[in-house]
PDB file of all heavy atoms in Angstrom:
ATOM      1  N   VAL A  21      -5.609 -13.786 -16.622  1.00  0.00           N
ATOM      2  CA  VAL A  21      -6.192 -12.543 -17.150  1.00  0.00           C
ATOM      3  C   VAL A  21      -5.279 -11.846 -18.160  1.00  0.00           C
ATOM      4  O   VAL A  21      -5.550 -10.707 -18.562  1.00  0.00           O
ATOM      5  CB  VAL A  21      -6.546 -11.560 -16.008  1.00  0.00           C
ATOM      6  CG1 VAL A  21      -7.636 -12.151 -15.118  1.00  0.00           C
ATOM      7  CG2 VAL A  21      -5.319 -11.194 -15.183  1.00  0.00           C
ATOM      8  N   VAL A 125     -13.799   1.384  -0.551  1.00  0.00           N
ATOM      9  CA  VAL A 125     -14.765   0.962  -1.572  1.00  0.00           C
ATOM     10  C   VAL A 125     -15.841   0.042  -1.012  1.00  0.00           C
ATOM     11  O   VAL A 125     -16.924  -0.069  -1.574  1.00  0.00           O
ATOM     12  CB  VAL A 125     -14.089   0.284  -2.793  1.00  0.00           C
ATOM     13  CG1 VAL A 125     -13.485   1.308  -3.724  1.00  0.00           C
ATOM     14  CG2 VAL A 125     -13.058  -0.734  -2.385  1.00  0.00           C
ATOM     15  N   LEU A 157      -3.924   4.533  -5.785  1.00  0.00           N
ATOM     16  CA  LEU A 157      -4.991   4.359  -4.808  1.00  0.00           C
ATOM     17  C   LEU A 157      -4.751   3.069  -4.024  1.00  0.00           C
ATOM     18  O   LEU A 157      -4.118   2.138  -4.516  1.00  0.00           O
ATOM     19  CB  LEU A 157      -6.354   4.272  -5.489  1.00  0.00           C
ATOM     20  CG  LEU A 157      -6.779   5.458  -6.351  1.00  0.00           C
ATOM     21  CD1 LEU A 157      -8.210   5.236  -6.855  1.00  0.00           C
ATOM     22  CD2 LEU A 157      -6.672   6.778  -5.596  1.00  0.00           C
ATOM     23  N   THR A 159      -6.730   0.273  -1.132  1.00  0.00           N
ATOM     24  CA  THR A 159      -7.901  -0.102  -0.349  1.00  0.00           C
ATOM     25  C   THR A 159      -7.600  -1.326   0.492  1.00  0.00           C
ATOM     26  O   THR A 159      -6.674  -2.079   0.215  1.00  0.00           O
ATOM     27  CB  THR A 159      -9.150  -0.359  -1.219  1.00  0.00           C
ATOM     28  OG1 THR A 159     -10.321  -0.266  -0.396  1.00  0.00           O
ATOM     29  CG2 THR A 159      -9.136  -1.742  -1.884  1.00  0.00           C
ATOM     30  N   LYS A 167     -15.765 -13.973  -2.003  1.00  0.00           N
ATOM     31  CA  LYS A 167     -14.897 -13.814  -3.173  1.00  0.00           C
ATOM     32  C   LYS A 167     -15.517 -12.867  -4.201  1.00  0.00           C
ATOM     33  O   LYS A 167     -14.832 -12.037  -4.795  1.00  0.00           O
ATOM     34  CB  LYS A 167     -14.656 -15.172  -3.829  1.00  0.00           C
ATOM     35  CG  LYS A 167     -13.673 -16.042  -3.058  1.00  0.00           C
ATOM     36  CD  LYS A 167     -13.101 -17.102  -3.996  1.00  0.00           C
ATOM     37  CE  LYS A 167     -11.792 -17.668  -3.497  1.00  0.00           C
ATOM     38  NZ  LYS A 167     -11.860 -18.279  -2.156  1.00  0.00           N
ATOM     39  N   GLU A 168     -16.811 -12.998  -4.370  1.00  0.00           N
ATOM     40  CA  GLU A 168     -17.500 -12.153  -5.358  1.00  0.00           C
ATOM     41  C   GLU A 168     -17.456 -10.687  -4.924  1.00  0.00           C
ATOM     42  O   GLU A 168     -17.242  -9.791  -5.737  1.00  0.00           O
ATOM     43  CB  GLU A 168     -18.965 -12.601  -5.530  1.00  0.00           C
ATOM     44  CG  GLU A 168     -19.150 -13.955  -6.209  1.00  0.00           C
ATOM     45  CD  GLU A 168     -18.758 -15.150  -5.317  1.00  0.00           C
ATOM     46  OE1 GLU A 168     -18.764 -15.006  -4.073  1.00  0.00           O
ATOM     47  OE2 GLU A 168     -18.428 -16.212  -5.887  1.00  0.00           O
ATOM     48  N   GLU A 169     -17.677 -10.466  -3.637  1.00  0.00           N
ATOM     49  CA  GLU A 169     -17.629  -9.082  -3.130  1.00  0.00           C
ATOM     50  C   GLU A 169     -16.223  -8.501  -3.267  1.00  0.00           C
ATOM     51  O   GLU A 169     -16.050  -7.358  -3.698  1.00  0.00           O
ATOM     52  CB  GLU A 169     -18.072  -9.037  -1.655  1.00  0.00           C
ATOM     53  CG  GLU A 169     -19.571  -9.236  -1.466  1.00  0.00           C
ATOM     54  CD  GLU A 169     -19.960  -9.498  -0.009  1.00  0.00           C
ATOM     55  OE1 GLU A 169     -19.092  -9.930   0.794  1.00  0.00           O
ATOM     56  OE2 GLU A 169     -21.132  -9.282   0.318  1.00  0.00           O
ATOM     57  N   LEU A 170     -15.224  -9.314  -2.913  1.00  0.00           N
ATOM     58  CA  LEU A 170     -13.835  -8.844  -3.031  1.00  0.00           C
ATOM     59  C   LEU A 170     -13.541  -8.406  -4.455  1.00  0.00           C
ATOM     60  O   LEU A 170     -12.948  -7.354  -4.697  1.00  0.00           O
ATOM     61  CB  LEU A 170     -12.862  -9.961  -2.639  1.00  0.00           C
ATOM     62  CG  LEU A 170     -12.819 -10.331  -1.152  1.00  0.00           C
ATOM     63  CD1 LEU A 170     -12.077 -11.634  -0.937  1.00  0.00           C
ATOM     64  CD2 LEU A 170     -12.173  -9.211  -0.349  1.00  0.00           C
ATOM     65  N   ARG A 171     -13.978  -9.226  -5.385  1.00  0.00           N
ATOM     66  CA  ARG A 171     -13.711  -8.914  -6.785  1.00  0.00           C
ATOM     67  C   ARG A 171     -14.351  -7.572  -7.168  1.00  0.00           C
ATOM     68  O   ARG A 171     -13.734  -6.748  -7.843  1.00  0.00           O
ATOM     69  CB  ARG A 171     -14.234 -10.051  -7.682  1.00  0.00           C
ATOM     70  CG  ARG A 171     -13.790  -9.934  -9.122  1.00  0.00           C
ATOM     71  CD  ARG A 171     -14.193 -11.140  -9.961  1.00  0.00           C
ATOM     72  NE  ARG A 171     -13.573 -12.389  -9.556  1.00  0.00           N
ATOM     73  CZ  ARG A 171     -12.294 -12.729  -9.785  1.00  0.00           C
ATOM     74  NH1 ARG A 171     -11.501 -11.903 -10.437  1.00  0.00           N
ATOM     75  NH2 ARG A 171     -11.813 -13.885  -9.381  1.00  0.00           N
ATOM     76  N   LEU A 172     -15.562  -7.354  -6.699  1.00  0.00           N
ATOM     77  CA  LEU A 172     -16.236  -6.081  -7.024  1.00  0.00           C
ATOM     78  C   LEU A 172     -15.505  -4.895  -6.405  1.00  0.00           C
ATOM     79  O   LEU A 172     -15.333  -3.857  -7.041  1.00  0.00           O
ATOM     80  CB  LEU A 172     -17.694  -6.110  -6.545  1.00  0.00           C
ATOM     81  CG  LEU A 172     -18.612  -7.057  -7.321  1.00  0.00           C
ATOM     82  CD1 LEU A 172     -20.019  -7.030  -6.725  1.00  0.00           C
ATOM     83  CD2 LEU A 172     -18.649  -6.680  -8.800  1.00  0.00           C
ATOM     84  N   TYR A 173     -15.045  -5.049  -5.168  1.00  0.00           N
ATOM     85  CA  TYR A 173     -14.318  -3.951  -4.515  1.00  0.00           C
ATOM     86  C   TYR A 173     -13.028  -3.638  -5.265  1.00  0.00           C
ATOM     87  O   TYR A 173     -12.722  -2.479  -5.537  1.00  0.00           O
ATOM     88  CB  TYR A 173     -13.968  -4.297  -3.063  1.00  0.00           C
ATOM     89  CG  TYR A 173     -15.160  -4.578  -2.177  1.00  0.00           C
ATOM     90  CD1 TYR A 173     -15.081  -5.515  -1.147  1.00  0.00           C
ATOM     91  CD2 TYR A 173     -16.372  -3.905  -2.362  1.00  0.00           C
ATOM     92  CE1 TYR A 173     -16.166  -5.772  -0.332  1.00  0.00           C
ATOM     93  CE2 TYR A 173     -17.458  -4.170  -1.545  1.00  0.00           C
ATOM     94  CZ  TYR A 173     -17.355  -5.104  -0.542  1.00  0.00           C
ATOM     95  OH  TYR A 173     -18.424  -5.366   0.267  1.00  0.00           O
ATOM     96  N   PHE A 174     -12.273  -4.680  -5.602  1.00  0.00           N
ATOM     97  CA  PHE A 174     -11.001  -4.473  -6.295  1.00  0.00           C
ATOM     98  C   PHE A 174     -11.236  -3.883  -7.681  1.00  0.00           C
ATOM     99  O   PHE A 174     -10.499  -3.012  -8.133  1.00  0.00           O
ATOM    100  CB  PHE A 174     -10.211  -5.784  -6.386  1.00  0.00           C
ATOM    101  CG  PHE A 174      -9.740  -6.310  -5.051  1.00  0.00           C
ATOM    102  CD1 PHE A 174      -9.596  -7.675  -4.828  1.00  0.00           C
ATOM    103  CD2 PHE A 174      -9.428  -5.443  -4.013  1.00  0.00           C
ATOM    104  CE1 PHE A 174      -9.157  -8.161  -3.595  1.00  0.00           C
ATOM    105  CE2 PHE A 174      -8.986  -5.916  -2.772  1.00  0.00           C
ATOM    106  CZ  PHE A 174      -8.857  -7.291  -2.576  1.00  0.00           C
ATOM    107  N   ARG A 175     -12.265  -4.378  -8.333  1.00  0.00           N
ATOM    108  CA  ARG A 175     -12.565  -3.865  -9.676  1.00  0.00           C
ATOM    109  C   ARG A 175     -12.921  -2.376  -9.603  1.00  0.00           C
ATOM    110  O   ARG A 175     -12.514  -1.584 -10.440  1.00  0.00           O
ATOM    111  CB  ARG A 175     -13.735  -4.669 -10.262  1.00  0.00           C
ATOM    112  CG  ARG A 175     -13.964  -4.438 -11.727  1.00  0.00           C
ATOM    113  CD  ARG A 175     -14.927  -5.465 -12.286  1.00  0.00           C
ATOM    114  NE  ARG A 175     -14.311  -6.792 -12.340  1.00  0.00           N
ATOM    115  CZ  ARG A 175     -14.968  -7.906 -12.705  1.00  0.00           C
ATOM    116  NH1 ARG A 175     -16.246  -7.846 -13.037  1.00  0.00           N
ATOM    117  NH2 ARG A 175     -14.342  -9.064 -12.740  1.00  0.00           N
ATOM    118  N   GLN A 176     -13.654  -2.032  -8.569  1.00  0.00           N
ATOM    119  CA  GLN A 176     -14.038  -0.635  -8.434  1.00  0.00           C
ATOM    120  C   GLN A 176     -12.822   0.247  -8.154  1.00  0.00           C
ATOM    121  O   GLN A 176     -12.681   1.330  -8.718  1.00  0.00           O
ATOM    122  CB  GLN A 176     -15.076  -0.464  -7.318  1.00  0.00           C
ATOM    123  CG  GLN A 176     -15.660   0.938  -7.347  1.00  0.00           C
ATOM    124  CD  GLN A 176     -16.769   1.142  -6.340  1.00  0.00           C
ATOM    125  OE1 GLN A 176     -16.989   0.306  -5.455  1.00  0.00           O
ATOM    126  NE2 GLN A 176     -17.468   2.248  -6.455  1.00  0.00           N
ATOM    127  N   LEU A 177     -11.922  -0.211  -7.308  1.00  0.00           N
ATOM    128  CA  LEU A 177     -10.727   0.597  -7.038  1.00  0.00           C
ATOM    129  C   LEU A 177      -9.913   0.776  -8.313  1.00  0.00           C
ATOM    130  O   LEU A 177      -9.414   1.861  -8.597  1.00  0.00           O
ATOM    131  CB  LEU A 177      -9.848  -0.041  -5.946  1.00  0.00           C
ATOM    132  CG  LEU A 177      -8.759   0.925  -5.458  1.00  0.00           C
ATOM    133  CD1 LEU A 177      -9.348   1.973  -4.507  1.00  0.00           C
ATOM    134  CD2 LEU A 177      -7.594   0.222  -4.788  1.00  0.00           C
ATOM    135  N   LYS A 178      -9.786  -0.309  -9.082  1.00  0.00           N
ATOM    136  CA  LYS A 178      -9.019  -0.231 -10.326  1.00  0.00           C
ATOM    137  C   LYS A 178      -9.650   0.782 -11.285  1.00  0.00           C
ATOM    138  O   LYS A 178      -8.951   1.580 -11.919  1.00  0.00           O
ATOM    139  CB  LYS A 178      -8.960  -1.617 -10.988  1.00  0.00           C
ATOM    140  CG  LYS A 178      -8.053  -1.669 -12.194  1.00  0.00           C
ATOM    141  CD  LYS A 178      -6.593  -1.524 -11.779  1.00  0.00           C
ATOM    142  CE  LYS A 178      -5.666  -1.357 -12.956  1.00  0.00           C
ATOM    143  NZ  LYS A 178      -4.266  -1.182 -12.509  1.00  0.00           N
ATOM    144  N   LYS A 179     -10.962   0.758 -11.358  1.00  0.00           N
ATOM    145  CA  LYS A 179     -11.659   1.689 -12.245  1.00  0.00           C
ATOM    146  C   LYS A 179     -11.398   3.139 -11.817  1.00  0.00           C
ATOM    147  O   LYS A 179     -11.084   4.004 -12.640  1.00  0.00           O
ATOM    148  CB  LYS A 179     -13.162   1.374 -12.207  1.00  0.00           C
ATOM    149  CG  LYS A 179     -14.039   2.240 -13.071  1.00  0.00           C
ATOM    150  CD  LYS A 179     -15.446   1.624 -13.175  1.00  0.00           C
ATOM    151  CE  LYS A 179     -16.443   2.594 -13.787  1.00  0.00           C
ATOM    152  NZ  LYS A 179     -16.979   3.563 -12.794  1.00  0.00           N
ATOM    153  N   LEU A 180     -11.479   3.386 -10.518  1.00  0.00           N
ATOM    154  CA  LEU A 180     -11.224   4.737 -10.009  1.00  0.00           C
ATOM    155  C   LEU A 180      -9.784   5.153 -10.293  1.00  0.00           C
ATOM    156  O   LEU A 180      -9.515   6.297 -10.689  1.00  0.00           O
ATOM    157  CB  LEU A 180     -11.493   4.788  -8.498  1.00  0.00           C
ATOM    158  CG  LEU A 180     -12.946   4.560  -8.068  1.00  0.00           C
ATOM    159  CD1 LEU A 180     -13.026   4.309  -6.563  1.00  0.00           C
ATOM    160  CD2 LEU A 180     -13.817   5.750  -8.461  1.00  0.00           C
ATOM    161  N   GLN A 181      -8.857   4.216 -10.108  1.00  0.00           N
ATOM    162  CA  GLN A 181      -7.439   4.523 -10.350  1.00  0.00           C
ATOM    163  C   GLN A 181      -7.220   4.911 -11.806  1.00  0.00           C
ATOM    164  O   GLN A 181      -6.542   5.899 -12.110  1.00  0.00           O
ATOM    165  CB  GLN A 181      -6.576   3.309  -9.983  1.00  0.00           C
ATOM    166  CG  GLN A 181      -5.089   3.516 -10.236  1.00  0.00           C
ATOM    167  CD  GLN A 181      -4.522   2.549 -11.253  1.00  0.00           C
ATOM    168  OE1 GLN A 181      -4.723   1.337 -11.140  1.00  0.00           O
ATOM    169  NE2 GLN A 181      -3.811   3.056 -12.243  1.00  0.00           N
ATOM    170  N   LEU A 182      -7.816   4.146 -12.709  1.00  0.00           N
ATOM    171  CA  LEU A 182      -7.627   4.423 -14.137  1.00  0.00           C
ATOM    172  C   LEU A 182      -8.268   5.763 -14.521  1.00  0.00           C
ATOM    173  O   LEU A 182      -7.742   6.492 -15.367  1.00  0.00           O
ATOM    174  CB  LEU A 182      -8.207   3.284 -14.987  1.00  0.00           C
ATOM    175  CG  LEU A 182      -7.453   1.946 -14.875  1.00  0.00           C
ATOM    176  CD1 LEU A 182      -8.193   0.838 -15.616  1.00  0.00           C
ATOM    177  CD2 LEU A 182      -6.017   2.074 -15.387  1.00  0.00           C
ATOM    178  N   GLU A 183      -9.380   6.092 -13.877  1.00  0.00           N
ATOM    179  CA  GLU A 183     -10.035   7.372 -14.170  1.00  0.00           C
ATOM    180  C   GLU A 183      -9.145   8.546 -13.773  1.00  0.00           C
ATOM    181  O   GLU A 183      -9.020   9.524 -14.496  1.00  0.00           O
ATOM    182  CB  GLU A 183     -11.383   7.462 -13.438  1.00  0.00           C
ATOM    183  CG  GLU A 183     -12.486   6.660 -14.126  1.00  0.00           C
ATOM    184  CD  GLU A 183     -13.748   6.517 -13.270  1.00  0.00           C
ATOM    185  OE1 GLU A 183     -13.847   7.183 -12.204  1.00  0.00           O
ATOM    186  OE2 GLU A 183     -14.630   5.722 -13.663  1.00  0.00           O
ATOM    187  N   CYS A 197      -1.985   0.647  -8.035  1.00  0.00           N
ATOM    188  CA  CYS A 197      -3.164   0.170  -7.323  1.00  0.00           C
ATOM    189  C   CYS A 197      -2.670  -0.749  -6.208  1.00  0.00           C
ATOM    190  O   CYS A 197      -2.182  -1.843  -6.471  1.00  0.00           O
ATOM    191  CB  CYS A 197      -4.012  -0.622  -8.311  1.00  0.00           C
ATOM    192  SG  CYS A 197      -5.748  -0.392  -8.141  1.00  0.00           S
ATOM    193  N   MET A 199      -3.618  -3.070  -3.543  1.00  0.00           N
ATOM    194  CA  MET A 199      -4.756  -3.847  -3.018  1.00  0.00           C
ATOM    195  C   MET A 199      -4.406  -5.323  -3.027  1.00  0.00           C
ATOM    196  O   MET A 199      -3.632  -5.786  -3.857  1.00  0.00           O
ATOM    197  CB  MET A 199      -6.019  -3.571  -3.842  1.00  0.00           C
ATOM    198  CG  MET A 199      -5.926  -3.900  -5.320  1.00  0.00           C
ATOM    199  SD  MET A 199      -7.393  -3.305  -6.217  1.00  0.00           S
ATOM    200  CE  MET A 199      -7.141  -4.102  -7.822  1.00  0.00           C
ATOM    201  N   ILE A 207      -7.145 -12.609  -6.218  1.00  0.00           N
ATOM    202  CA  ILE A 207      -8.250 -11.874  -6.848  1.00  0.00           C
ATOM    203  C   ILE A 207      -7.788 -10.456  -7.177  1.00  0.00           C
ATOM    204  O   ILE A 207      -8.070  -9.921  -8.255  1.00  0.00           O
ATOM    205  CB  ILE A 207      -9.486 -11.836  -5.916  1.00  0.00           C
ATOM    206  CG1 ILE A 207      -9.946 -13.255  -5.583  1.00  0.00           C
ATOM    207  CG2 ILE A 207     -10.636 -11.057  -6.561  1.00  0.00           C
ATOM    208  CD1 ILE A 207     -11.042 -13.310  -4.527  1.00  0.00           C
ATOM    209  N   ALA A 208      -7.039  -9.852  -6.248  1.00  0.00           N
ATOM    210  CA  ALA A 208      -6.555  -8.479  -6.476  1.00  0.00           C
ATOM    211  C   ALA A 208      -5.658  -8.423  -7.712  1.00  0.00           C
ATOM    212  O   ALA A 208      -5.737  -7.489  -8.513  1.00  0.00           O
ATOM    213  CB  ALA A 208      -5.809  -7.974  -5.239  1.00  0.00           C
ATOM    214  N   VAL A 209      -4.804  -9.429  -7.863  1.00  0.00           N
ATOM    215  CA  VAL A 209      -3.926  -9.469  -9.042  1.00  0.00           C
ATOM    216  C   VAL A 209      -4.767  -9.604 -10.310  1.00  0.00           C
ATOM    217  O   VAL A 209      -4.533  -8.905 -11.299  1.00  0.00           O
ATOM    218  CB  VAL A 209      -2.893 -10.615  -8.911  1.00  0.00           C
ATOM    219  CG1 VAL A 209      -2.174 -10.850 -10.244  1.00  0.00           C
ATOM    220  CG2 VAL A 209      -1.881 -10.295  -7.809  1.00  0.00           C
ATOM    221  N   GLU A 210      -5.758 -10.467 -10.260  1.00  0.00           N
ATOM    222  CA  GLU A 210      -6.628 -10.618 -11.439  1.00  0.00           C
ATOM    223  C   GLU A 210      -7.315  -9.308 -11.798  1.00  0.00           C
ATOM    224  O   GLU A 210      -7.588  -9.023 -12.949  1.00  0.00           O
ATOM    225  CB  GLU A 210      -7.695 -11.700 -11.188  1.00  0.00           C
ATOM    226  CG  GLU A 210      -7.142 -13.107 -11.206  1.00  0.00           C
ATOM    227  CD  GLU A 210      -8.198 -14.172 -10.884  1.00  0.00           C
ATOM    228  OE1 GLU A 210      -9.396 -13.830 -10.786  1.00  0.00           O
ATOM    229  OE2 GLU A 210      -7.814 -15.323 -10.713  1.00  0.00           O
ATOM    230  N   GLU A 211      -7.583  -8.494 -10.776  1.00  0.00           N
ATOM    231  CA  GLU A 211      -8.310  -7.246 -11.012  1.00  0.00           C
ATOM    232  C   GLU A 211      -7.390  -6.036 -11.202  1.00  0.00           C
ATOM    233  O   GLU A 211      -7.853  -4.906 -11.256  1.00  0.00           O
ATOM    234  CB  GLU A 211      -9.302  -6.993  -9.874  1.00  0.00           C
ATOM    235  CG  GLU A 211     -10.428  -8.033  -9.787  1.00  0.00           C
ATOM    236  CD  GLU A 211     -11.277  -8.102 -11.055  1.00  0.00           C
ATOM    237  OE1 GLU A 211     -11.454  -7.072 -11.735  1.00  0.00           O
ATOM    238  OE2 GLU A 211     -11.768  -9.214 -11.374  1.00  0.00           O
ATOM    239  N   GLY A 212      -6.083  -6.262 -11.259  1.00  0.00           N
ATOM    240  CA  GLY A 212      -5.207  -5.157 -11.654  1.00  0.00           C
ATOM    241  C   GLY A 212      -4.341  -4.539 -10.576  1.00  0.00           C
ATOM    242  O   GLY A 212      -3.810  -3.437 -10.766  1.00  0.00           O
ATOM    243  N   ALA A 213      -4.130  -5.228  -9.468  1.00  0.00           N
ATOM    244  CA  ALA A 213      -3.230  -4.702  -8.426  1.00  0.00           C
ATOM    245  C   ALA A 213      -1.816  -4.549  -8.977  1.00  0.00           C
ATOM    246  O   ALA A 213      -1.354  -5.389  -9.745  1.00  0.00           O
ATOM    247  CB  ALA A 213      -3.212  -5.646  -7.225  1.00  0.00           C
TER     248      ALA A 213
END
Side-chain angles (χ1 to χ4, degrees):
V21 296
V125 281
L157 301 184
T159 200
K167 285 201 159 58
E168 291 73 23
E169 287 167 338
L170 290 167
R171 190 174 296 285
L172 290 178
Y173 300 146
F174 294 149
R175 192 168 290 175
Q176 190 175 11
L177 192 77
K178 187 69 189 178
K179 180 168 168 278
L180 295 167
Q181 178 242 310
L182 292 173
E183 282 169 9
C197 219
M199 59 188 190
I207 301 172
V209 168
E210 287 177 8
E211 295 300 328

